[in-house]
Amino acid sequence: ALVISFVPDPAKAVAEMVRVARPGGTVASYMWDLSMAGSPLEPIYRAISKVGSAAPRPRSQAVSTRPAQQELWTKAGLQAVETRHMRTEAIFSSVEDYWEATAVPVGPQGMVINRLSPEARERLRDALRHELTPGPDGRIAVPCVASAVKGRVPQ
């Protein structure tokens, strides 16, 4: 889940999943569909761009789409391959909650934020406030779209 776009060789990763799955087993994955701005990180990516930094993107972001996943699973020899979009919202209690969740130096965006000067980090927080629209209760709902794929290992 949420990793196929980050691995250096997605086809090799799928082949390895197929190798370790039992015959007749299911190999499945999902990834935020980056072609549809489907990641809950889109607001921070836009804010990072607005302050003049390069928004971090997974190295293999093209495989986040349904057609690319269909092709990967089919080329790996899986049968009965199915794909679909899953729509949801990532809910945060406030703009500050969103900031705290995305600014930790864990993911690619967190590493970019961690390298910013304190002044640049504050400009980024201001830009982020313009990207997020709190509801009446102060909560933030970020629309998300994931592409999901599954296929059956041949018997």
Side-chain angles (χ1 to χ4, degrees):
L2 303 175
V3 73
I4 196 74
S5 290
F6 293 96
V7 297
D9 187 340
K12 186 176 178 181
V14 176
E16 182 64 7
M17 288 189 281
V18 172
R19 185 188 72 75
V20 299
R22 66 175 171 73
T26 298
V27 173
S29 183
Y30 63 90
M31 180 67 205
W32 301 121
D33 192 323
L34 303 174
S35 72
M36 300 176 73
S39 170
L41 297 173
E42 281 303 317
I44 196 76
Y45 289 163
R46 289 191 302 267
I48 289 170
S49 294
K50 284 183 179 178
V51 299
S53 292
R57 300 292 180 164
R59 71 173 62 179
S60 303
Q61 70 180 22
V63 299
S64 71
T65 67
R66 286 176 67 182
Q69 291 175 354
Q70 175 85 33
E71 182 178 345
L72 276 173
W73 261 239
T74 301
K75 284 185 174 179
L78 291 159
Q79 300 172 339
V81 176
E82 297 177 35
T83 64
R84 69 182 186 121
H85 277 136
M86 300 182 300
R87 296 178 188 279
T88 190
E89 291 181 325
I91 306 293
F92 300 88
S93 62
S94 64
V95 172
E96 189 60 28
D97 182 34
Y98 184 89
W99 172 259
E100 289 175 10
T102 58
V104 293
V106 175
Q109 82 290 343
M111 300 307 272
V112 167
I113 294 167
N114 193 49
R115 289 191 296 266
L116 295 175
S117 69
E119 297 80 20
R121 196 171 299 135
E122 197 52 43
R123 284 194 310 275
L124 175 58
R125 284 176 82 142
D126 287 341
L128 181 62
R129 287 183 191 99
H130 288 87
E131 288 296 324
L132 299 171
T133 305
D137 60 359
R139 293 184 339 153
I140 303 296
V142 180
C144 304
V145 180
S147 294
V149 60
K150 70 177 181 176
R152 192 178 69 251
V153 178
Q155 293 280 355

